[in-house]
């Protein structure tokens, strides 16, 4: 177990903005920061970081918490793994309360996979430079490609020896079990046709090794390139998917590129491992690769966390161009701005950067970058120039790509560019776009209808739903409960003019109130428990002292999705504090009680309607009259509080 002192030391050193910036491109907004959600696909930022409180809140997914929570959620780590990651980041020595052997026995399988992959990475790195085979074959190959020692270390490149079980024997000798080797994809298990048993062998043999890192720098997979000429073997083999590696959500080189992508506000997208590494050697570090697989929505979301600008680098061959064209449409659909660079025939980013050198390569990128409209037009210009049918097909293809752009303003600009380049009136281009959009809407509507074909709503269903929407008194009560919880969190430790604490006043005034929402009840129990321990919960310490299931709920109350602009103060516009220690508790308690009373009146009407005897009806009506009287008194009291309070005074 990691010691409490270690955790506190890490917590004292943490800068939540610094931690989250390693994974998400966040921008200052007043005193806080905001960004697109790293947990959901959205077009408008709803992810907020509050440095003063050391917390984040993502309104799209509902997630929230401190730096530890963020690392756990984003990297899918356990609490212990998140602590170790942050300890390494901030240079804190891990002190443990138990010996390492016991810790190893208690490690989760997931944590074991990370440890094993790190061991494998170090093993392959060592073989590259410290064995005759590694130097003679693997290192020679990397030197031929111009990779220097700094590059080898930066990408932690390695070599796997020939032989069926070199790695697995070494790993087992070091204490790693065979099952874990198979689960990590480092060993392949195969049925032996000559018997009923199974045999296993190393997945990577006689190949150079490219480790694949996650966003925090941990090795989660490997790519391996064959150096011989065996036509029966694939040129590249890659790790299979595991509990820690999902290829559709990983981009090769992103760990090494993320800071440069943020700095330049653009990302170069290439095809393979060596393309990424060669561009780094040409001082172009804001580059990633889909590692030979088709680009996915998950990978596009990853890029969007750091920039909205993508430049796709195309190999100068027909196959490379067709593959990249499919990728362009997916990137456009993901809301990113796409530009394109096409290399000369039979050249790719790797070969061309080595051929012309750093200066000329960077110059080529700068001078040959085009928007995707111009690129498509140039690509098919020869075919379509003298053939009206080909030209019409090209225009349709270009408009189809434009239709995928979610932003209406960008679509409009692309349409104008298409009209200019193809020398076709804008009205015709617009008409073609509208046809596509209408067709897409109809298709979407049909799909949604088919989904609910067996669950269609009748008119009476809709009527009942509308009634529940208009008269959902339970929801109104829960909203008031939540407001009161917020007052308790924000002002609970403040003293009122009467000498008691705000939390004491709230507890006394709501002692006879039955709270509806279970999470609100749990929050009250936690708060009372901490008070009993002599700790008054605050906005700053609540995230650390409550159970994990309450963290997102609390951050949702503390973080405001629509903070008041600092610019208002320049124009002498001030908003008074609604959560005032004197006024807010009494005001919101009365709102809560009024909501409860209104719910009682509504429920009472239903009971009267269902009553079986006149006596029962009379008794219920009498009860309703008493409740109505109490409601009026509450309303009067509520109005008086509002009139006496400074709330809403904007002067």
């Amino acid at each position: 177990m990691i010691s409490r002192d270690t955790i506190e030391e890490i917590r004292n050193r943490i800068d939540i903005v610094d931690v989250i910036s390693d994974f998400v491109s966040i921008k200052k907004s007043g005193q806080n920061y905001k960004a697109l959600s790293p947990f959901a696909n959205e077009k408008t930022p709803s992810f907020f970081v509050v440095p003063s409180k050391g917390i984040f809140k993502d309104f799209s997914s509902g997630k929230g918490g401190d730096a530890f929570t963020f690392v756990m959620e984003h990297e899918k780590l356990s609490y212990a793994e998140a602590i170790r990651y942050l300890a390494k980041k901030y240079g804190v020595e891990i002190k443990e309360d138990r010996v390492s052997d016991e810790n190893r026995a208690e490690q989760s399988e997931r944590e074991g996979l990370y440890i094993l992959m790190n061991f494998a990475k170090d093993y392959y790195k060592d073989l590259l430079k410290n064995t005759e085979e590694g130097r003679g074959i693997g290192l020679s190959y990397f030197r031929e490609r111009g990779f220097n020692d700094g590059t080898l270390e930066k990408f932690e490149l390695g070599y796997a020896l020939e032989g069926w079980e070199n790695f697995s024997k070494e790993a087992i000798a070091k204490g790693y079990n065979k099952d874990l080797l198979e689960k990590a994809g480092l060993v392949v298990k195969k049925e032996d046709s000559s018997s009923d048993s199974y045999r296993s062998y190393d997945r990577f043999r006689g190949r150079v090794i490219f480790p694949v890192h996650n966003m925090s720098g941990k090795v989660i997979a490997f790519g391996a390139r064959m150096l011989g000429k065996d036509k029966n073997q694939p040129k590249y083999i890659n790790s299979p998917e595991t509990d820690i590696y999902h290829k559709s959500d990983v981009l090769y080189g992103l760990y090494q590129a993320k800071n440069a992508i943020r700095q330049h506000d653009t990302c170069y997208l290439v095809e393979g491992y060596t393309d990424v590494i060669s561009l780094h050697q040409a001082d172009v570090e804001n580059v990633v690769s889909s590692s030979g697989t088709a680009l996915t929505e998950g990978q596009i979301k990853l890029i969007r966390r750091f920039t909205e600008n993508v430049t796709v680098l195309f190999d100068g061959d027909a196959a490379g161009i067709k593959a990249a064209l499919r990728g362009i449409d997916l990137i456009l659909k993901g809301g990113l701005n796409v530009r394109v660079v096409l290399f000369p025939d039979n050249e790719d980013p790797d070969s061309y950067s080595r051929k012309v050198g750093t200066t000329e390569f960077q110059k080529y990128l700068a001078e040959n970058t085009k928007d995707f409209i111009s690129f498509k037009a140039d690509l098919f210009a020869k075919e379509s120039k003298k053939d009206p049918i080909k030209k019409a097909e090209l225009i349709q293809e270009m408009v189809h790509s434009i239709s995928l752009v979610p932003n209406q303003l960008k679509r409009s600009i692309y349409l104008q560019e298409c009209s200019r380049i193809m020398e076709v009136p804008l009205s015709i281009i617009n008409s073609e776009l509208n046809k596509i959009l209408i067709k897409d809407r109809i298709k979407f509507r049909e799909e949604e209808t088919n989904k609910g074909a067996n669950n269609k709503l009748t008119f009476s269903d809709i009527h009942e739903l509308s009634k529940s929407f208009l008269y959902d008194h339970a929801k109104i009560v829960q909203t008031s409960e939540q407001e009161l919880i917020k007052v308790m969190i924000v002002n609970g430790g403040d003293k009122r003019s009467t000498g008691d604490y705000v939390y004491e006043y709230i507890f006394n005034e709501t002692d006879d109130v039955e709270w509806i929402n279970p999470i609100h009840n749990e929050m009250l129990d936690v708060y009372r428990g901490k008070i009993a321990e002599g700790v008054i919960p605050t906005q700053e310490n609540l995230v650390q002292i409550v159970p994990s299931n309450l963290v997102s709920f609390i951050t949702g109350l503390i973080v405001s999705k629509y903070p008041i602009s600092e610019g208002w103060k320049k124009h002498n516009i001030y908003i008074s504090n609604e959560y005032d220690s004197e006024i807010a508790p009494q005001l919101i308690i009365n709102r809560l009680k009024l909501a409860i009373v209104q719910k009682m009146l509504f429920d009472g009407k239903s009971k009267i309607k269902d009553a079986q005897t006149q006596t029962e009806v009379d008794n219920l009506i009498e009860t309703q009259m008493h409740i109505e009287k109490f409601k009026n008194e509450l309303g009067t009291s509520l109005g008086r509080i509002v009139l006496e309070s400074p709330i809403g005074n904007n002067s």
Side-chain angles (χ1 to χ4, degrees), residues 89-122:
K89 177 177 174 64
Y90 287 99
V92 177
E93 182 184 354
I94 296 279
K95 294 177 183 175
E96 298 178 306
D97 293 334
R98 300 183 188 180
V99 296
S100 58
D101 286 345
E102 290 181 15
N103 279 336
R104 175 173 288 184
E106 292 178 357
Q107 282 169 347
S108 66
E109 184 172 282
R110 183 182 179 84
E111 194 171 354
L113 285 171
Y114 283 119
I115 294 168
L116 174 57
M117 296 302 272
N118 189 63
F119 166 78
K121 176 259 297 180
D122 288 340

mmCIF file of all heavy atoms in Angstrom, residues 89-122:
data_model
loop_
_atom_site.group_PDB
_atom_site.id
_atom_site.type_symbol
_atom_site.label_atom_id
_atom_site.label_comp_id
_atom_site.label_asym_id
_atom_site.label_seq_id
_atom_site.Cartn_x
_atom_site.Cartn_y
_atom_site.Cartn_z
ATOM 1 N N LYS A 89 5.591 12.020 -12.326
ATOM 2 C CA LYS A 89 5.521 13.330 -12.984
ATOM 3 C C LYS A 89 6.117 14.433 -12.103
ATOM 4 O O LYS A 89 6.819 15.320 -12.597
ATOM 5 C CB LYS A 89 4.066 13.667 -13.328
ATOM 6 C CG LYS A 89 3.880 15.049 -13.960
ATOM 7 C CD LYS A 89 2.429 15.279 -14.348
ATOM 8 C CE LYS A 89 2.200 16.711 -14.841
ATOM 9 N NZ LYS A 89 2.953 17.008 -16.078
ATOM 10 N N TYR A 90 5.857 14.359 -10.792
ATOM 11 C CA TYR A 90 6.289 15.429 -9.885
ATOM 12 C C TYR A 90 7.514 15.049 -9.046
ATOM 13 O O TYR A 90 7.868 15.759 -8.103
ATOM 14 C CB TYR A 90 5.125 15.854 -8.988
ATOM 15 C CG TYR A 90 4.092 16.638 -9.756
ATOM 16 C CD1 TYR A 90 2.933 16.027 -10.218
ATOM 17 C CD2 TYR A 90 4.300 17.973 -10.085
ATOM 18 C CE1 TYR A 90 1.991 16.735 -10.956
ATOM 19 C CE2 TYR A 90 3.373 18.688 -10.823
ATOM 20 C CZ TYR A 90 2.217 18.065 -11.255
ATOM 21 O OH TYR A 90 1.297 18.772 -11.998
ATOM 22 N N GLY A 91 8.146 13.935 -9.403
ATOM 23 C CA GLY A 91 9.391 13.572 -8.739
ATOM 24 C C GLY A 91 9.246 13.223 -7.277
ATOM 25 O O GLY A 91 10.141 13.521 -6.466
ATOM 26 N N VAL A 92 8.143 12.602 -6.920
ATOM 27 C CA VAL A 92 7.915 12.210 -5.525
ATOM 28 C C VAL A 92 8.287 10.744 -5.356
ATOM 29 O O VAL A 92 7.845 9.884 -6.111
ATOM 30 C CB VAL A 92 6.433 12.422 -5.118
ATOM 31 C CG1 VAL A 92 6.193 11.935 -3.690
ATOM 32 C CG2 VAL A 92 6.055 13.885 -5.261
ATOM 33 N N GLU A 93 9.121 10.466 -4.342
ATOM 34 C CA GLU A 93 9.514 9.079 -4.074
ATOM 35 C C GLU A 93 8.346 8.333 -3.430
ATOM 36 O O GLU A 93 7.742 8.806 -2.470
ATOM 37 C CB GLU A 93 10.722 9.051 -3.140
ATOM 38 C CG GLU A 93 11.221 7.645 -2.844
ATOM 39 C CD GLU A 93 12.356 7.628 -1.841
ATOM 40 O OE1 GLU A 93 12.832 8.727 -1.463
ATOM 41 O OE2 GLU A 93 12.753 6.524 -1.423
ATOM 42 N N ILE A 94 8.014 7.172 -3.980
ATOM 43 C CA ILE A 94 6.916 6.360 -3.453
ATOM 44 C C ILE A 94 7.385 5.620 -2.201
ATOM 45 O O ILE A 94 8.371 4.886 -2.234
ATOM 46 C CB ILE A 94 6.429 5.324 -4.495
ATOM 47 C CG1 ILE A 94 5.836 6.029 -5.717
ATOM 48 C CG2 ILE A 94 5.426 4.359 -3.886
ATOM 49 C CD1 ILE A 94 4.430 6.492 -5.553
ATOM 50 N N LYS A 95 6.680 5.846 -1.098
ATOM 51 C CA LYS A 95 6.937 5.093 0.139
ATOM 52 C C LYS A 95 5.755 4.175 0.384
ATOM 53 O O LYS A 95 4.608 4.616 0.305
ATOM 54 C CB LYS A 95 7.124 6.052 1.312
ATOM 55 C CG LYS A 95 8.367 6.916 1.178
ATOM 56 C CD LYS A 95 8.474 7.910 2.311
ATOM 57 C CE LYS A 95 9.692 8.821 2.117
ATOM 58 N NZ LYS A 95 9.754 9.874 3.150
ATOM 59 N N GLU A 96 6.056 2.924 0.658
ATOM 60 C CA GLU A 96 5.002 1.928 0.813
ATOM 61 C C GLU A 96 4.964 1.390 2.232
ATOM 62 O O GLU A 96 5.993 1.297 2.912
ATOM 63 C CB GLU A 96 5.201 0.788 -0.186
ATOM 64 C CG GLU A 96 5.116 1.268 -1.624
ATOM 65 C CD GLU A 96 5.359 0.166 -2.642
ATOM 66 O OE1 GLU A 96 6.397 -0.492 -2.555
ATOM 67 O OE2 GLU A 96 4.500 -0.005 -3.521
ATOM 68 N N ASP A 97 3.763 1.047 2.667
ATOM 69 C CA ASP A 97 3.578 0.528 4.017
ATOM 70 C C ASP A 97 3.799 -0.969 4.095
ATOM 71 O O ASP A 97 3.855 -1.537 5.173
ATOM 72 C CB ASP A 97 2.155 0.847 4.518
ATOM 73 C CG ASP A 97 1.960 2.347 4.710
ATOM 74 O OD1 ASP A 97 2.966 3.035 4.943
ATOM 75 O OD2 ASP A 97 0.812 2.809 4.616
ATOM 76 N N ARG A 98 3.902 -1.629 2.941
ATOM 77 C CA ARG A 98 4.130 -3.068 2.923
ATOM 78 C C ARG A 98 5.281 -3.383 1.989
ATOM 79 O O ARG A 98 5.607 -2.605 1.100
ATOM 80 C CB ARG A 98 2.875 -3.813 2.452
ATOM 81 C CG ARG A 98 1.667 -3.577 3.342
ATOM 82 C CD ARG A 98 0.499 -4.408 2.848
ATOM 83 N NE ARG A 98 -0.721 -4.067 3.566
ATOM 84 C CZ ARG A 98 -1.891 -4.637 3.349
ATOM 85 N NH1 ARG A 98 -1.993 -5.575 2.435
ATOM 86 N NH2 ARG A 98 -2.953 -4.280 4.040
ATOM 87 N N VAL A 99 5.867 -4.532 2.124
ATOM 88 C CA VAL A 99 7.010 -4.899 1.291
ATOM 89 C C VAL A 99 6.567 -5.118 -0.143
ATOM 90 O O VAL A 99 5.420 -5.457 -0.420
ATOM 91 C CB VAL A 99 7.696 -6.176 1.838
ATOM 92 C CG1 VAL A 99 8.271 -5.928 3.203
ATOM 93 C CG2 VAL A 99 6.731 -7.345 1.875
ATOM 94 N N SER A 100 7.504 -4.963 -1.069
ATOM 95 C CA SER A 100 7.160 -5.005 -2.493
ATOM 96 C C SER A 100 6.623 -6.358 -2.938
ATOM 97 O O SER A 100 5.832 -6.440 -3.861
ATOM 98 C CB SER A 100 8.385 -4.630 -3.343
ATOM 99 O OG SER A 100 9.450 -5.518 -3.059
ATOM 100 N N ASP A 101 7.071 -7.469 -2.288
ATOM 101 C CA ASP A 101 6.559 -8.782 -2.675
ATOM 102 C C ASP A 101 5.055 -8.878 -2.452
ATOM 103 O O ASP A 101 4.326 -9.437 -3.273
ATOM 104 C CB ASP A 101 7.263 -9.881 -1.868
ATOM 105 C CG ASP A 101 8.691 -10.087 -2.351
ATOM 106 O OD1 ASP A 101 9.001 -9.604 -3.458
ATOM 107 O OD2 ASP A 101 9.478 -10.713 -1.627
ATOM 108 N N GLU A 102 4.600 -8.332 -1.327
ATOM 109 C CA GLU A 102 3.158 -8.344 -1.051
ATOM 110 C C GLU A 102 2.427 -7.452 -2.042
ATOM 111 O O GLU A 102 1.330 -7.781 -2.503
ATOM 112 C CB GLU A 102 2.889 -7.863 0.378
ATOM 113 C CG GLU A 102 3.339 -8.847 1.434
ATOM 114 C CD GLU A 102 3.039 -8.348 2.834
ATOM 115 O OE1 GLU A 102 2.238 -7.395 2.962
ATOM 116 O OE2 GLU A 102 3.606 -8.893 3.781
ATOM 117 N N ASN A 103 3.049 -6.332 -2.357
ATOM 118 C CA ASN A 103 2.415 -5.429 -3.324
ATOM 119 C C ASN A 103 2.255 -6.096 -4.681
ATOM 120 O O ASN A 103 1.230 -5.953 -5.339
ATOM 121 C CB ASN A 103 3.249 -4.153 -3.496
ATOM 122 C CG ASN A 103 2.977 -3.166 -2.376
ATOM 123 O OD1 ASN A 103 1.923 -3.219 -1.764
ATOM 124 N ND2 ASN A 103 3.936 -2.306 -2.098
ATOM 125 N N ARG A 104 3.311 -6.829 -5.100
ATOM 126 C CA ARG A 104 3.249 -7.504 -6.398
ATOM 127 C C ARG A 104 2.100 -8.508 -6.422
ATOM 128 O O ARG A 104 1.389 -8.653 -7.419
ATOM 129 C CB ARG A 104 4.575 -8.206 -6.688
ATOM 130 C CG ARG A 104 4.538 -9.033 -7.970
ATOM 131 C CD ARG A 104 5.887 -9.572 -8.343
ATOM 132 N NE ARG A 104 6.761 -8.503 -8.820
ATOM 133 C CZ ARG A 104 7.981 -8.711 -9.296
ATOM 134 N NH1 ARG A 104 8.477 -9.921 -9.361
ATOM 135 N NH2 ARG A 104 8.711 -7.698 -9.708
ATOM 136 N N ALA A 105 1.903 -9.204 -5.298
ATOM 137 C CA ALA A 105 0.832 -10.197 -5.219
ATOM 138 C C ALA A 105 -0.538 -9.545 -5.308
ATOM 139 O O ALA A 105 -1.492 -10.149 -5.803
ATOM 140 C CB ALA A 105 0.948 -10.988 -3.919
ATOM 141 N N GLU A 106 -0.640 -8.286 -4.842
ATOM 142 C CA GLU A 106 -1.939 -7.604 -4.808
ATOM 143 C C GLU A 106 -2.207 -6.770 -6.058
ATOM 144 O O GLU A 106 -3.280 -6.225 -6.244
ATOM 145 C CB GLU A 106 -2.015 -6.686 -3.570
ATOM 146 C CG GLU A 106 -2.048 -7.477 -2.267
ATOM 147 C CD GLU A 106 -2.073 -6.556 -1.051
ATOM 148 O OE1 GLU A 106 -2.015 -5.324 -1.228
ATOM 149 O OE2 GLU A 106 -2.157 -7.080 0.065
ATOM 150 N N GLN A 107 -1.197 -6.620 -6.918
ATOM 151 C CA GLN A 107 -1.391 -5.795 -8.114
ATOM 152 C C GLN A 107 -2.484 -6.376 -9.001
ATOM 153 O O GLN A 107 -2.593 -7.579 -9.174
ATOM 154 C CB GLN A 107 -0.084 -5.714 -8.913
ATOM 155 C CG GLN A 107 0.908 -4.730 -8.320
ATOM 156 C CD GLN A 107 2.266 -4.881 -8.977
ATOM 157 O OE1 GLN A 107 2.512 -5.851 -9.687
ATOM 158 N NE2 GLN A 107 3.147 -3.929 -8.736
ATOM 159 N N SER A 108 -3.244 -5.512 -9.561
ATOM 160 C CA SER A 108 -4.275 -5.960 -10.486
ATOM 161 C C SER A 108 -3.624 -6.496 -11.759
ATOM 162 O O SER A 108 -2.464 -6.199 -12.067
ATOM 163 C CB SER A 108 -5.200 -4.799 -10.852
ATOM 164 O OG SER A 108 -4.485 -3.832 -11.588
ATOM 165 N N GLU A 109 -4.381 -7.274 -12.496
ATOM 166 C CA GLU A 109 -3.876 -7.803 -13.757
ATOM 167 C C GLU A 109 -3.533 -6.675 -14.724
ATOM 168 O O GLU A 109 -2.537 -6.742 -15.451
ATOM 169 C CB GLU A 109 -4.922 -8.720 -14.378
ATOM 170 C CG GLU A 109 -4.439 -9.405 -15.648
ATOM 171 C CD GLU A 109 -5.414 -10.461 -16.134
ATOM 172 O OE1 GLU A 109 -5.424 -11.557 -15.571
ATOM 173 O OE2 GLU A 109 -6.193 -10.135 -17.055
ATOM 174 N N ARG A 110 -4.350 -5.638 -14.678
ATOM 175 C CA ARG A 110 -4.112 -4.493 -15.566
ATOM 176 C C ARG A 110 -2.764 -3.838 -15.245
ATOM 177 O O ARG A 110 -1.992 -3.520 -16.141
ATOM 178 C CB ARG A 110 -5.253 -3.493 -15.397
ATOM 179 C CG ARG A 110 -5.167 -2.290 -16.298
ATOM 180 C CD ARG A 110 -6.322 -1.341 -16.000
ATOM 181 N NE ARG A 110 -6.239 -0.177 -16.833
ATOM 182 C CZ ARG A 110 -6.698 -0.106 -18.071
ATOM 183 N NH1 ARG A 110 -7.274 -1.164 -18.611
ATOM 184 N NH2 ARG A 110 -6.594 0.993 -18.784
ATOM 185 N N GLU A 111 -2.509 -3.640 -13.963
ATOM 186 C CA GLU A 111 -1.243 -3.046 -13.562
ATOM 187 C C GLU A 111 -0.095 -3.977 -13.946
ATOM 188 O O GLU A 111 0.973 -3.532 -14.376
ATOM 189 C CB GLU A 111 -1.256 -2.799 -12.046
ATOM 190 C CG GLU A 111 -0.152 -1.884 -11.572
ATOM 191 C CD GLU A 111 -0.311 -1.492 -10.117
ATOM 192 O OE1 GLU A 111 -1.345 -1.849 -9.515
ATOM 193 O OE2 GLU A 111 0.593 -0.846 -9.585
ATOM 194 N N GLY A 112 -0.343 -5.285 -13.822
ATOM 195 C CA GLY A 112 0.660 -6.260 -14.208
ATOM 196 C C GLY A 112 0.999 -6.189 -15.690
ATOM 197 O O GLY A 112 2.161 -6.377 -16.086
ATOM 198 N N LEU A 113 -0.012 -5.905 -16.525
ATOM 199 C CA LEU A 113 0.226 -5.768 -17.966
ATOM 200 C C LEU A 113 1.146 -4.590 -18.265
ATOM 201 O O LEU A 113 2.055 -4.692 -19.101
ATOM 202 C CB LEU A 113 -1.106 -5.595 -18.704
ATOM 203 C CG LEU A 113 -1.968 -6.849 -18.853
ATOM 204 C CD1 LEU A 113 -3.349 -6.490 -19.393
ATOM 205 C CD2 LEU A 113 -1.292 -7.866 -19.771
ATOM 206 N N TYR A 114 0.911 -3.452 -17.585
ATOM 207 C CA TYR A 114 1.780 -2.289 -17.788
ATOM 208 C C TYR A 114 3.223 -2.611 -17.397
ATOM 209 O O TYR A 114 4.173 -2.238 -18.092
ATOM 210 C CB TYR A 114 1.281 -1.100 -16.967
ATOM 211 C CG TYR A 114 0.082 -0.396 -17.538
ATOM 212 C CD1 TYR A 114 -1.117 -0.321 -16.824
ATOM 213 C CD2 TYR A 114 0.138 0.225 -18.787
ATOM 214 C CE1 TYR A 114 -2.226 0.329 -17.347
ATOM 215 C CE2 TYR A 114 -0.963 0.879 -19.315
ATOM 216 C CZ TYR A 114 -2.147 0.932 -18.585
ATOM 217 O OH TYR A 114 -3.245 1.579 -19.105
ATOM 218 N N ILE A 115 3.372 -3.295 -16.273
ATOM 219 C CA ILE A 115 4.717 -3.632 -15.797
ATOM 220 C C ILE A 115 5.405 -4.575 -16.777
ATOM 221 O O ILE A 115 6.589 -4.411 -17.107
ATOM 222 C CB ILE A 115 4.634 -4.262 -14.388
ATOM 223 C CG1 ILE A 115 4.136 -3.213 -13.373
ATOM 224 C CG2 ILE A 115 5.987 -4.813 -13.950
ATOM 225 C CD1 ILE A 115 3.758 -3.786 -12.032
ATOM 226 N N LEU A 116 4.665 -5.564 -17.262
ATOM 227 C CA LEU A 116 5.226 -6.520 -18.223
ATOM 228 C C LEU A 116 5.618 -5.829 -19.523
ATOM 229 O O LEU A 116 6.697 -6.095 -20.082
ATOM 230 C CB LEU A 116 4.220 -7.641 -18.493
ATOM 231 C CG LEU A 116 4.592 -8.648 -19.589
ATOM 232 C CD1 LEU A 116 5.939 -9.310 -19.286
ATOM 233 C CD2 LEU A 116 3.500 -9.692 -19.745
ATOM 234 N N MET A 117 4.764 -4.947 -20.028
ATOM 235 C CA MET A 117 5.076 -4.248 -21.284
ATOM 236 C C MET A 117 6.315 -3.363 -21.124
ATOM 237 O O MET A 117 7.118 -3.219 -22.056
ATOM 238 C CB MET A 117 3.877 -3.415 -21.742
ATOM 239 C CG MET A 117 2.642 -4.232 -22.086
ATOM 240 S SD MET A 117 2.929 -5.473 -23.374
ATOM 241 C CE MET A 117 2.620 -4.510 -24.839
ATOM 242 N N ASN A 118 6.478 -2.785 -19.967
ATOM 243 C CA ASN A 118 7.669 -1.969 -19.714
ATOM 244 C C ASN A 118 8.928 -2.846 -19.691
ATOM 245 O O ASN A 118 9.980 -2.472 -20.229
ATOM 246 C CB ASN A 118 7.524 -1.224 -18.394
ATOM 247 C CG ASN A 118 8.635 -0.209 -18.188
ATOM 248 O OD1 ASN A 118 8.772 0.751 -18.943
ATOM 249 N ND2 ASN A 118 9.456 -0.430 -17.171
ATOM 250 N N PHE A 119 8.792 -4.029 -19.078
ATOM 251 C CA PHE A 119 9.908 -4.982 -19.071
ATOM 252 C C PHE A 119 10.275 -5.383 -20.504
ATOM 253 O O PHE A 119 11.458 -5.432 -20.867
ATOM 254 C CB PHE A 119 9.530 -6.231 -18.253
ATOM 255 C CG PHE A 119 10.451 -7.388 -18.459
ATOM 256 C CD1 PHE A 119 11.686 -7.429 -17.831
ATOM 257 C CD2 PHE A 119 10.103 -8.442 -19.308
ATOM 258 C CE1 PHE A 119 12.569 -8.494 -18.037
ATOM 259 C CE2 PHE A 119 10.964 -9.504 -19.524
ATOM 260 C CZ PHE A 119 12.200 -9.541 -18.881
ATOM 261 N N ALA A 120 9.256 -5.690 -21.315
ATOM 262 C CA ALA A 120 9.491 -6.094 -22.702
ATOM 263 C C ALA A 120 10.180 -4.983 -23.485
ATOM 264 O O ALA A 120 11.123 -5.231 -24.261
ATOM 265 C CB ALA A 120 8.164 -6.471 -23.370
ATOM 266 N N LYS A 121 9.729 -3.754 -23.267
ATOM 267 C CA LYS A 121 10.343 -2.600 -23.956
ATOM 268 C C LYS A 121 11.829 -2.493 -23.611
ATOM 269 O O LYS A 121 12.681 -2.330 -24.491
ATOM 270 C CB LYS A 121 9.586 -1.332 -23.573
ATOM 271 C CG LYS A 121 10.158 -0.043 -24.116
ATOM 272 C CD LYS A 121 10.969 0.727 -23.088
ATOM 273 C CE LYS A 121 10.108 1.168 -21.918
ATOM 274 N NZ LYS A 121 10.903 1.920 -20.927
ATOM 275 N N ASP A 122 12.149 -2.604 -22.315
ATOM 276 C CA ASP A 122 13.554 -2.517 -21.890
ATOM 277 C C ASP A 122 14.371 -3.691 -22.447
ATOM 278 O O ASP A 122 15.538 -3.526 -22.823
ATOM 279 C CB ASP A 122 13.637 -2.509 -20.358
ATOM 280 C CG ASP A 122 13.143 -1.195 -19.763
ATOM 281 O OD1 ASP A 122 13.101 -0.184 -20.495
ATOM 282 O OD2 ASP A 122 12.795 -1.187 -18.565
#
